[in-house]
Amino acid sequence: MNQPFIKQEKIRFQHIDYAGIVFYPRFLEMLNGIVEDWFEEALDRPFSKMHETNGIPTVDLKVQFKKAARLGETLTKKLWVNKLGDSSLLCGFRFEDENGKTCVEGEVTLVNIAFGENRDSIKAEAFSEEMRNKISKFVV
């Protein structure tokens, strides 16, 4: 079985609300962060280069908030691929606290897109064979 992509993130003051727990949209920013790190570190496709001609927008998102995360805690963020399509990815994700308890989990669908000239249009574009090979290492 392939392994997920894993990163850790410390909960900072910028992440929390008045109650001292992670404000739920910050979890989505953290999700975007692990996707961006995965593309750069594991797939050798950093957003800074990719976004010159392509993109990888989220087109569907399912999230379940299971447990609060608090200031000072460190989350272990995990991302894997459930399904690799021609131009899309269905990824699973889970963020766990220091005791391995799930704080948030779900699925995100990403689509590989190409920009038209002058960025006046976008269309789905199939992943290259090289990219498919890199992504396939994270399919569970």
Side-chain angles (χ1 to χ4, degrees), residues 5 8 20 24 38 49 56 68-72 88 95 104 107:
F5 181 74
Q8 291 193 317
Y24 75 94
W38 179 52
K49 298 287 185 212
I56 192 83
R70 300 188 178 283
L71 181 64
S88 66
F95 297 174
V104 63
E107 291 184 327

Side-chain angles (χ1 to χ4, degrees), residues 76-138:
T76 299
K77 305 185 301 183
K78 299 178 181 181
L79 180 78
W80 60 89
V81 178
N82 289 329
K83 183 180 176 190
L84 172 57
D86 289 335
S87 60
S88 66
L89 298 166
L90 175 61
C91 295
F93 65 91
R94 183 172 46 253
F95 297 174
E96 299 171 350
D97 69 10
E98 294 161 345
N99 297 312
K101 294 191 188 285
T102 300
C103 295
V104 63
E105 65 184 354
E107 291 184 327
V108 59
T109 302
L110 307 169
V111 175
N112 187 50
I113 56 115
F115 299 119
E117 268 190 60
N118 302 318
R119 294 183 179 249
D120 57 354
S121 64
I122 60 172
K123 65 176 182 164
E125 180 176 83
F127 290 109
S128 69
E129 195 60 34
E130 177 186 7
M131 185 59 62
R132 291 181 71 75
N133 288 335
K134 290 178 182 179
I135 292 168
S136 68
K137 295 174 184 170
F138 297 92

